[in-house]
Amino acid sequence: MYKHILVPLDGSATAERGFREALGLATEQKSKLSLLNVIDDFPMLLEMSSVASFEESMRKLREHGEQVLAKARGEAAKLDVLVDTFLYEVTQSRVADVVVDKARELGCDLIVMGTHGGRGFSRLALGSDADRVVRTSPVPVLLVRGKEAAP
């Protein structure tokens, strides 16, 4: 039985599928959910031409992250699932490392996350946060494939 489940959320349909699975588990097993949104600003640092546009983009990303977390928190509350939320900004860390570190810090016993199920060159070139979480997590990881996942 899982008592504390960590769920990374980014607002994508794939992450939503992971959340739905975690919500079902939490409801059945009376588990607590910790919802995590991680803002990785490194790609924007490379692309932004001005500090003002970078700050505006970061503000929008923070607002989006808060909205994603608030929506999920509300859905969990409707089912009487205990939930807490976390919003992190990283520059020199990988999102996957933040997920694993947060699971350790909170004492979670399961991580549930969506995955695109990428294969081939795109996975090699871009890497996979889900793959890295699986390889480095001290607790079990349940990957929920998105509808667009490769067969």
Side-chain angles (χ1 to χ4, degrees):
M1 182 161 126
Y2 300 109
K3 294 182 170 123
H4 193 173
I5 303 170
L6 179 66
V7 185
L9 296 172
D10 62 7
S12 69
T14 301
E16 176 73 15
R17 286 178 63 106
F19 171 67
R20 295 274 163 227
E21 189 68 28
L23 192 56
L25 281 170
T27 302
E28 291 171 7
Q29 300 187 14
K30 308 289 188 237
S31 306
K32 176 181 180 180
L33 290 181
S34 287
L35 310 176
L36 174 65
N37 179 270
V38 181
I39 300 168
D40 182 3
D41 66 5
F42 184 71
M44 285 193 315
L45 285 173
L46 296 176
E47 295 176 13
M48 293 294 154
S49 59
S50 74
V51 172
S53 61
F54 173 77
E55 287 302 322
E56 177 63 16
S57 293
M58 287 301 295
R59 185 189 64 73
K60 287 179 182 177
L61 285 173
R62 284 183 206 106
E63 285 177 5
H64 174 74
E66 290 293 346
Q67 289 170 355
V68 166
L69 292 172
K71 179 182 176 221
R73 183 176 43 241
E75 291 180 33
K78 289 177 189 174
L79 297 173
D80 293 323
V81 172
L82 183 62
V83 69
D84 54 9
T85 60
F86 302 91
L87 181 77
Y88 280 90
E89 295 177 30
V90 297
T91 299
Q92 297 185 7
S93 296
R94 292 185 60 162
V95 171
D97 295 337
V98 174
V99 171
V100 170
D101 289 347
K102 197 65 182 172
R104 273 193 197 101
E105 176 189 327
L106 295 173
C108 296
D109 49 13
L110 178 67
I111 299 170
V112 178
M113 61 189 300
T115 179
H116 295 284
R119 297 178 4 182
F121 181 74
S122 65
R123 181 171 170 262
L124 287 174
L126 299 174
S128 166
D129 284 318
D131 182 58
R132 187 169 175 91
V133 169
V134 168
R135 288 186 292 112
T136 61
S137 175
V139 299
V141 178
L142 174 60
L143 297 180
V144 179
R145 294 184 92 174
K147 286 184 179 179
E148 71 281 356

